[in-house]
Amino acid sequence: MPRKAPTSLVLIASIVSLLAVTPLIYIVARALAADAATWSRLWYGQMPTLLWQTATLLVGTIGFALVLGIGAAWLVERSDLPGRTVWRVLLALPLALPGYVAAITYIILLRRGGVVERFLIDFAGFARGEIPLPPLYNVWGAILIIGLVTYPYIYLPTAAALRSVDRSLEEAARMAGRNGWSVFRQITLPLVTPAVAGGALLVGLYVLSDFGTVAMLRYRTFTTAIYNQFTGQIDRSGAAILSVVLILLALPLLFGEGWFSRRQRRLTADTVWRPRQLVRLGRWRWLALPLVSLLALLSLGLPLLVLGGLSLQGWLFPTEADRIWGVNNEGILRFGLNSVLVATLAATFATALALGPLYLAVRFPSRISRIVLTLSRSPFALPGIIIGLAFVLLINRWAPFAYGTIFALVFAFTFRLLPQSLSTEESALRAVAPSLEEAARTMGVAPMRVFWRVTLPVAAPGILASWVLVFITAMKELPTAILLRPPGFDTLPVRIWAAASESVHTQAAPPAFLLIALTTLLLLPLMQNRLGIDKAIQDNL
Amino acid sequence: MSDALISVQNVVKRYGEVGAAVAGVSFDVPRGAIVALLGPSGCGKTTTLRLIAGLEMPNAGAIWLEGRKVAGDGAWVPPEARRVGMVFQDGALFPHLTVAQNIAFPLNTRNGRGRVEELLELVGMAGYGERYPHQLSGGQQQRVALARALAPEPAVVLLDEPFSRLDAALRVSLREDVREIVKRTGATTIFVTHDQEEALSIADIVVVMFDGKAAQIGAPHEIYTRPATRQVATFVGEANLLPGLAEGAVADCALGRVILATPQKGPVEIMIRPEAFELRAVRSGAAYIERIRYFGHDQALHVRLHSGEPLLVRSLPRPDLRVGQEVDVFVRGVVVAYPAN
């Protein structure tokens, strides 16, 4: 039913998409306007190192996350691993952890004078300085830590693909004379490969856009270089140039991810689900179980335990430093409320704004609606640091009175979150059968009322899930907050960042613990939800 | 065991604690025959097929293929070693492989090419080798699935509701083609269906299943004209059931005296197929026509006896039979009777 889209809808969707694409256009324009000297200074100066550093981190992290993600997915979905249903959820939860919190945890544990060293000195009789501690401030540390928080991007889609591969395909391969291993290699593996590859590219995008983790580990990549250019130089076009190069690096990953996810949908379309026979691990379970436990411990357990323990210690036996840092109930509560306030406003705005372009694209597919949707999605190509940078520059230029206000912060957050809202809400809107709306129309209800009375209520569970996911992302967001927060208005991530910058890492524990406790608790119910929300999760974050 | 190519003996399959999906099924299939497993959904017919394929392991009973015990009493041959081809309900074509690659999948790569062409020819899909499954219609997918199942020249071909996802007209033409193709290859075939017309028109032997058990095994005309139970009678076609009193080879009912297929005694329920009646238009008869449903090739007449019982009658369209017309009702041939409960 190719109807004509209502003018008001087209108008709203177009405005949203134009606003969304503004930061990208502005940054590119700024970079192109920079003088040749700045370009060549950066190109021959920093660029080779940055490219090399970023590339090694990218490749290493993807490789590590692939091993963890595929291994975990296979064990949970295809083997008789004891406690599979619990592991299925636990192994996905590190999604709630920002990389910089994992980094803080391991720095607290492993740095000179850290928890592990003090423990060994006090209880194992070592002398200061003679204990070999693994150095974290290098590419291996960054790979390890980012890999531990990003493997769910591979684990979730791979597990979902393993679940949804039509069982009769594997049976048909057995009927054609193949044994278990060749069925896996020739049928199952090719069918889940797009999901795995899509997940790997998401990990890659995370690595490119990550700012907090690499900053805390003092590993130089594009994001930290952009930040340094921005804070250290009077001329901001250097930051714009680096941003454009980073965006160009991210684009192939972005398009590749989209291509793979479309391909996966074709390979695992409508299937009859029947419980499948699991591979018996036998004695191997005594290897598999400790490995899975170790993964859960390193990625989720340690951060919660270490940060929780330190928070408790600081609360029960406050030191002078604790008092100076204001890390007491009142202070933490205020930072937490600031975070929740900004995240609530931004997630709500992003969820609402996304409805326009999405509804246009879902119900009135055309070239225009596709362009509007793509433009609205464009901030996804921009790491948070670049969005923050773009909004700082834009606001200073066109609306200087708004700079350093909470409005500017929420505004930037909203557009940072918009792409995620778009992709998580899409499945919710697609789940509303057009015939439902048509039925309401035939009963004489006006289109606007149909949307309120039929479409929204039916899509509500999916929209709510999308809101929670976006809210979690907003809670974790660091670079945009650092660049745009009003003076004195600290959110939890900003507080963590400040403590880490001053190298008083233990002071980061209370806000970090509060942050991951909140996000983990929010993510938990979504993981068990059956309303196609695990699909929404794997599409995103 | 017997010289049957497939022999299923007292096979039981339970899932968890809840009842048995298959509760003791036995039947033999001679070489080259086409067998239909017919029954309502949940009767265990698909599970029986999967047991023969080796995709499920029976809890009790035994299965022989080509004189070799493949399941039961500790024996177990995995599906890939059973020389069985299978066509799944949705085709189960590998979406990442082309049609030709799908068909070549069960073959040794050496003699593959020519054999694939031959099979495409056989199923009427010549020239489609380079397409991908999603580029084919449902009927074409099932043709390719059949070609893939036949590729290694299996002794047995199993089809799990292969036509259920196709529209009516396509279903009829495809099933005729499939029958001809498997007959030509000489493969012994078992197919599962819930469509009685499909079972009766394609199969040499029909196994009617209810609640995990075989209710009747026989040639299509036996199943239709001599159903073993009331349940089979109503499942495989339309049936009129009239109370009567049997006395040896005959019984008395509202229609008068009818001849029984097998002698019985005492109160019975008499089963008469709608097309076994003959109507004669008269001025004042035993019944009158209440309603006529016209189908073109024939018509269904709702006839009510003056004693109150309704009858369903099928006849060729006739000008003398109209709504309200008084008729006399006669029964052609012998009828089946079941003991009344």
Side-chain angles (χ1 to χ4, degrees):
Chain A
M1 43 113 227
R3 286 179 290 142
K4 209 171 130 29
T7 318
S8 54
L9 179 62
V10 177
L11 202 65
I12 292 170
S14 307
I15 292 172
V16 170
S17 69
L18 288 179
L19 283 174
V21 80
T22 309
L24 176 62
I25 292 175
Y26 183 75
I27 285 291
V28 173
R30 241 346 243 274
L32 292 179
D35 57 10
T38 318
W39 270 96
S40 69
R41 176 170 57 80
L42 285 169
W43 198 255
Y44 297 107
Q46 301 195 26
M47 207 65 83
T49 330
L50 283 180
L51 281 174
W52 170 249
Q53 295 256 93
T54 306
T56 45
L57 182 63
L58 191 73
V59 172
T61 310
I62 289 179
F64 183 46
L66 275 173
V67 173
L68 298 181
I70 297 177
W74 187 85
L75 283 172
V76 165
E77 295 299 333
R78 290 301 177 89
S79 80
D80 62 348
L81 182 76
R84 296 165 53 230
T85 44
V86 177
W87 292 121
R88 179 176 287 160
V89 175
L90 271 187
L91 291 175
L93 282 183
L95 274 185
L97 243 70
Y100 55 83
V101 167
I104 283 277
T105 307
Y106 283 96
I107 290 170
I108 289 174
L109 279 175
L110 295 176
R111 77 197 153 102
R112 291 271 159 226
V115 172
V116 170
E117 191 180 54
R118 264 185 296 153
F119 182 86
L120 290 176
I121 290 168
D122 290 352
F123 297 99
F126 282 91
R128 182 170 296 275
E130 73 174 14
I131 305 150
L133 290 168
L136 285 174
Y137 297 100
N138 59 25
V139 69
W140 299 108
I143 288 174
L144 179 84
I145 287 165
I146 302 179
L148 279 175
V149 294
T150 54
Y151 79 87
Y153 293 104
I154 294 173
Y155 160 76
L156 279 172
T158 308
L162 281 175
R163 257 199 312 280
S164 66
V165 166
D166 193 338
R167 187 181 168 178
S168 58
L169 292 176
E170 288 164 355
E171 288 173 351
R174 295 211 69 180
M175 302 300 300
R178 296 295 199 279
N179 63 24
W181 169 241
S182 8
V183 172
F184 184 78
R185 206 166 45 81
Q186 296 182 351
I187 303 301
T188 317
L189 211 53
L191 291 180
V192 303
T193 297
V196 176
L201 293 183
L202 279 181
V203 172
L205 282 170
Y206 186 103
V207 171
L208 288 186
S209 62
D210 174 73
F211 169 71
T213 323
V214 288
M216 287 182 193
L217 295 174
R218 297 178 206 147
Y219 184 81
R220 274 168 51 79
T221 63
F222 272 94
T223 50
T224 48
I226 291 167
Y227 181 74
N228 292 337
Q229 280 287 327
F230 174 73
T231 51
Q233 308 277 334
I234 297 157
D235 178 16
R236 265 81 188 261
S237 49
I241 291 170
L242 290 178
S243 298
V244 168
V245 176
L246 180 53
I247 293 167
L248 288 177
L249 290 179
L251 279 181
L253 300 193
L254 200 60
F255 286 117
E257 201 275 323
W259 188 80
F260 280 122
S261 89
R262 278 192 301 280
R263 192 165 164 75
Q264 185 66 37
R265 243 169 277 158
R266 208 175 68 211
L267 290 180
T268 50
D270 63 346
T271 59
V272 198
W273 194 84
R274 262 182 277 126
R276 61 179 89 229
Q277 266 146 14
L278 299 171
V279 174
R280 291 189 201 290
L281 290 174
R283 276 183 297 139
W284 288 101
R285 74 167 66 180
W286 304 120
L287 179 64
L289 206 52
L291 280 179
V292 170
S293 312
L294 184 68
L295 178 56
L297 179 74
L298 292 181
S299 59
L300 185 71
L302 272 187
L304 282 173
L305 282 174
V306 170
L307 299 173
L310 283 174
S311 308
L312 194 66
Q313 189 192 27
W315 185 55
L316 292 178
F317 315 105
T319 61
E320 191 54 33
D322 293 335
R323 268 187 282 279
I324 294 167
W325 273 81
V327 183
N328 46 32
N329 303 335
E330 197 192 326
I332 284 297
L333 208 60
R334 193 157 42 86
F335 308 140
L337 283 177
N338 286 347
S339 269
V340 171
L341 175 70
V342 174
T344 306
L345 289 174
T348 308
F349 289 146
T351 304
L353 288 183
L355 283 173
L358 264 186
Y359 194 71
L360 185 69
V362 169
R363 281 292 181 264
F364 308 97
S366 71
R367 179 181 300 219
I368 303 277
S369 66
R370 263 200 308 282
I371 292 172
V372 164
L373 190 60
T374 308
L375 290 183
S376 311
R377 285 219 170 103
S378 63
F380 197 45
L382 309 186
I385 188 86
I386 300 183
I387 298 219
L389 173 69
F391 275 103
V392 168
L393 299 177
L394 277 167
I395 289 169
N396 272 333
R397 177 122 185 218
W398 305 107
F401 52 87
Y403 184 72
T405 62
I406 189 167
F407 298 107
L409 185 63
V410 170
F411 194 73
F413 262 55
T414 301
F415 284 94
R416 162 103 173 88
L417 301 172
L418 186 65
Q420 194 189 6
S421 279
L422 286 168
S423 39
T424 46
E425 267 178 280
E426 184 169 349
S427 45
L429 273 191
R430 286 207 188 277
V432 184
S435 58
L436 285 180
E437 293 174 2
E438 286 162 3
R441 292 291 295 280
T442 60
M443 296 168 208
V445 184
M448 208 41 208
R449 265 178 77 74
V450 171
F451 185 77
W452 280 109
R453 294 277 309 278
V454 179
T455 316
L456 270 189
V458 175
I463 292 179
L464 180 67
S466 153
W467 185 91
V468 175
L469 283 176
V470 174
F471 178 84
I472 291 173
T473 310
M475 289 292 287
K476 302 189 319 190
E477 175 62 20
L478 175 66
T480 317
I482 293 176
L483 294 178
L484 279 160
R485 77 200 156 97
F489 185 86
D490 284 1
T491 61
L492 292 173
V494 169
R495 205 64 201 172
I496 299 167
W497 163 255
S501 318
E502 306 284 328
S503 283
V504 280
H505 295 101
T506 42
Q507 295 304 328
F513 179 71
L514 182 61
L515 175 64
I516 62 177
L518 278 176
T519 51
T520 312
L521 285 178
L522 274 171
L523 193 59
L524 201 54
L526 289 192
M527 290 290 163
Q528 287 144 333
N529 201 311
R530 290 264 139 245
L531 289 163
I533 284 153
D534 33 359
K535 175 88 182 68
I537 292 168
Q538 57 165 283
D539 277 354
N540 267 284
L541 267 169
Chain B
M1 273 314 292
S2 61
D3 54 348
L5 192 94
I6 304 170
S7 180
V8 176
Q9 299 300 330
N10 298 315
V11 164
V12 176
K13 177 66 187 176
R14 279 183 292 270
Y15 290 112
E17 298 304 305
V18 286
V22 177
V25 166
S26 303
F27 58 88
D28 288 345
V29 182
R31 181 178 294 276
I34 299 182
V35 172
L37 297 180
L38 173 68
S41 62
C43 73
K45 54 192 193 297
T46 293
T47 307
T48 306
L49 196 78
R50 292 170 62 81
L51 285 163
I52 298 169
L55 296 171
E56 308 282 351
M57 216 182 267
N59 297 100
I63 298 169
W64 278 263
L65 293 177
E66 301 181 273
R68 176 170 64 139
K69 188 190 259 188
V70 295
D73 308 325
W76 177 251
V77 176
E80 61 268 26
R82 287 195 179 187
R83 291 227 312 136
V84 168
M86 183 149 168
V87 176
F88 290 79
Q89 191 169 13
D90 54 358
L93 295 181
F94 305 129
H96 60 305
L97 302 180
T98 62
V99 165
Q101 287 168 335
N102 262 284
I103 297 175
F105 190 83
L107 296 172
N108 299 325
T109 40
R110 208 168 310 140
N111 53 2
R113 205 107 189 72
R115 178 79 179 132
V116 169
E117 293 302 323
E118 192 183 309
L119 283 157
L120 282 172
E121 192 77 43
L122 178 71
V123 298
M125 291 288 290
Y128 284 87
E130 296 315 307
R131 304 266 185 109
Y132 278 90
H134 68 95
Q135 296 168 314
L136 304 180
S137 70
Q140 291 172 327
Q141 289 186 8
Q142 289 304 62
R143 285 173 186 273
V144 175
L146 180 64
R148 186 179 66 183
L150 291 171
E153 300 183 46
V156 174
V157 177
L158 307 174
L159 301 101
D160 181 11
E161 306 222 21
F163 315 117
S164 63
R165 293 199 177 178
L166 309 177
D167 58 55
L170 184 60
R171 192 157 29 184
V172 173
S173 69
L174 185 59
R175 75 189 185 205
E176 294 304 328
D177 287 356
V178 167
R179 180 186 161 84
E180 203 196 317
I181 291 164
V182 296
K183 278 292 178 193
R184 209 185 307 165
T185 60
T188 308
T189 305
I190 301 183
F191 73 99
V192 160
T193 181
H194 58 262
D195 181 339
Q196 40 89 14
E197 184 187 302
E198 195 168 292
L200 298 179
S201 63
I202 302 294
D204 303 317
I205 301 170
V206 177
V207 178
V208 186
M209 289 185 68
F210 289 110
D211 302 324
K213 294 198 175 77
Q216 189 175 4
I217 300 168
H221 65 92
E222 281 172 35
I223 299 285
Y224 188 74
T225 58
R226 302 274 188 277
T229 66
R230 205 177 286 110
Q231 205 177 15
V232 174
T234 51
F235 188 74
V236 299
E238 295 164 326
N240 293 287
L241 290 163
L242 292 173
L245 194 64
E247 189 58 56
V250 295
D252 289 312
C253 66
L255 297 168
R257 180 156 285 195
V258 291
I259 305 161
L260 296 180
T262 48
Q264 301 225 33
K265 208 157 173 58
V268 290
E269 216 165 6
I270 293 162
M271 194 284 292
I272 307 166
R273 295 283 182 208
E275 60 279 356
F277 292 112
E278 188 160 324
L279 299 183
R280 194 168 299 159
V282 289
R283 178 153 304 175
S284 167
Y288 66 99
I289 297 172
E290 251 181 4
R291 186 176 158 221
I292 297 177
R293 280 183 289 144
Y294 180 71
F295 293 112
H297 49 76
D298 71 344
Q299 58 186 1
L301 303 115
H302 295 251
V303 172
R304 192 168 291 275
L305 293 172
H306 287 309
S307 54
E309 289 92 343
L311 292 179
L312 181 68
V313 178
R314 277 190 179 267
S315 83
L316 297 176
R318 271 162 51 181
D320 56 333
L321 298 180
R322 297 172 185 219
V323 174
Q325 173 70 48
E326 288 281 318
V327 288
D328 277 336
V329 183
F330 302 92
V331 178
R332 271 193 303 248
V334 295
V335 300
V336 184
Y338 309 108
N341 38 8

